[in-house]
Amino acid sequence: MTTFHADFADDLRRTPASGPMAVYANGVVLGAVRALADNYPTIVAMLGDEAFEAAAVDHVRVHPPSDPVLAIYGADFPDWLARFPPLADWPWLGPVARLDRAWTEAHLAPDAPVLTVADLSRAGATAMVRPLRLHPSLRVFLFDWTAPSLWRAHRDGAPGDLVWDRQTEGLAIWRPHDVVRHRPLTPDAHALLVDCGRGRPLAVAMSAAAARGVDASALVSGLVEAGLFTPDPTETP
């Protein structure tokens, strides 16, 4: 946060309930609350408009915007929401908000080509000694609870029980072309993607998957077909 924004944030916190500055401050707060609603639609759906607005106003007062581009506002909202005392009995809100944030980040991520199965086949043995590059829009998660099911059901009406339960669930959120997508991930798929993200050669990532009893070739093919990777720009066609 710049010095200007820090000073302005302090002004907002000290603003009285009336007066010219209050009118301006209230307008800033309203704009930030609307931005949070746009950036966290699943949380709005879960809480309802009135409860969401009350929580969002509290958040904005503590964490006012530090950037004029409100499309990126609210990066700290999931963690704040998880610690917000009035919603302590709603432990799923923080994890679900993380998925809303991932959707926004995927939407705003740089465009990049998608690695295809044909690309991988042409690379041959060379591909095995290099890491597969994750698509820059990709965000992957593995939860101990059913946050992905709740998020998908509220966001897109995906089928599933609306139950907060202790059950391992993974999710990928990414934008291979013009539309943000999401798909469930098995723990093995999540582990392979994490290995790739850490820069481990494909052969190493596949060996680790095979050691867990997974058909590593089928796993990689499925993830490539889904468009979760991008070609290495240093490789020539």
Side-chain angles (χ1 to χ4, degrees):
M1 184 182 290
T2 65
T3 300
F4 169 79
H5 282 108
D7 292 343
F8 181 66
D10 289 339
D11 288 342
L12 282 184
R13 297 185 186 102
R14 294 192 300 264
T15 297
S18 61
M21 181 59 184
V23 173
Y24 181 67
N26 289 338
V28 172
V29 170
L30 180 59
V33 168
R34 287 175 176 169
L36 280 178
D38 289 341
N39 294 339
Y40 292 93
T42 315
I43 302 302
V44 176
M46 287 182 162
L47 288 177
D49 293 339
E50 186 174 345
F52 178 87
E53 182 175 336
V57 167
D58 277 4
H59 175 269
V60 172
R61 290 290 184 182
V62 178
H63 301 284
S66 59
D67 191 294
V69 181
L70 290 181
I72 64 173
Y73 175 56
D76 49 9
F77 189 57
D79 289 341
W80 179 89
L81 199 58
R83 299 189 302 266
F84 189 47
L87 296 175
D89 292 335
W90 294 49
W92 52 87
L93 291 177
V96 168
R98 287 176 59 198
L99 297 177
D100 267 352
R101 181 65 188 180
W103 192 100
T104 296
E105 291 176 355
H107 176 67
L108 298 175
D111 292 332
V114 171
L115 180 75
T116 66
V117 173
D119 294 331
L120 195 59
S121 297
R122 281 194 296 270
T126 302
M128 299 301 293
V129 298
R130 297 181 177 180
L132 285 186
R133 296 172 62 90
L134 302 182
H135 196 277
S137 68
L138 180 64
R139 306 291 186 271
V140 296
F141 300 88
L142 190 66
F143 293 94
D144 293 331
W145 293 77
T146 52
S149 288
L150 290 176
W151 183 79
R152 295 176 71 231
H154 281 86
R155 181 118 193 177
D156 293 334
D161 294 332
L162 297 181
V163 177
W164 180 242
D165 195 12
R166 184 176 287 277
Q167 178 178 320
T168 300
E169 288 190 356
L171 193 72
I173 300 176
W174 80 112
R175 181 174 55 80
H177 299 293
D178 297 328
V179 178
V180 177
R181 299 180 181 178
H182 55 81
R183 61 174 279 167
L185 288 178
T186 65
D188 291 311
H190 178 269
L192 187 138
L193 291 169
V194 169
D195 280 346
C196 291
R198 290 173 176 168
R200 293 178 177 170
L202 178 58
V204 174
M206 291 180 68
S207 293
R212 297 189 296 269
V214 177
D215 184 340
S217 294
L219 179 59
V220 170
S221 293
L223 296 174
V224 171
E225 288 176 354
L228 272 60
F229 300 98
T230 190
D232 188 332
T234 64
E235 295 180 8
T236 55

